[in-house]
Amino acid sequence: MSYVALATRQFEALTDFYGKTLGFTVLKRWDRPNGRGCVFDLNGLKLEILDAAREKAALELGPVGDRIHLVIEVADVDAAHRALAIHAPPPITTSWGSRTFSLRDPDGTAVCYLQWVAG
């Protein structure tokens, strides 16, 4: 997979969330009359945020639901949790060999931090 693209009507809120709140690096930004976007590096996964209202043909957006989860693998999930600028549920150890915690972005997309603890 090269990248995931999320279209939103809350462009500023989403770009602030991934950039300022979660602290991910911006790789690229653009702002044109017919399109605005931003690409972040989520520990190797590229995430493109698109302003749905600025697209040449405005994008129809249905509910996010729980079909999409952005999973961010980290070496130390507890350190990642402590470094967050917002409240998130504490990490838990799963029965399938990981430690993980999840939160939601302003559009409701699940963002899961995951550390593998068993081989």
Side-chain angles (χ1 to χ4, degrees):
M1 177 184 313
S2 295
Y3 66 94
V4 172
L6 297 178
T8 183
R9 297 222 185 280
Q10 300 184 76
F11 183 79
E12 287 84 8
L14 238 55
T15 55
D16 282 352
F17 178 78
Y18 287 100
K20 293 177 183 173
T21 304
L22 298 185
F24 291 112
T25 302
V26 173
L27 298 175
K28 177 170 56 167
R29 286 185 183 271
W30 61 95
D31 191 348
R32 305 183 291 269
N34 65 342
R36 178 168 65 156
C38 186
V39 177
F40 292 94
D41 177 2
L42 276 59
N43 292 0
L45 171 68
K46 292 179 188 169
L47 174 64
E48 179 180 58
I49 307 293
L50 299 169
D51 185 345
R54 282 269 194 95
E55 292 297 306
K56 192 171 188 175
L59 301 172
E60 291 296 320
L61 304 178
V64 172
D66 286 327
R67 295 175 294 160
I68 297 172
H69 296 201
L70 297 177
V71 179
I72 301 161
E73 289 188 37
V74 296
D76 185 340
V77 77
D78 294 291
H81 185 267
R82 285 190 302 272
L84 288 179
I86 60 171
H87 173 75
I92 60 167
T93 301
T94 68
S95 62
W96 40 271
S98 75
R99 286 195 39 79
T100 185
F101 71 91
S102 298
L103 51 114
R104 294 205 180 256
D105 75 14
D107 271 346
T109 300
V111 179
C112 307
Y113 283 76
L114 177 127
Q115 173 189 353
W116 293 106
V117 293

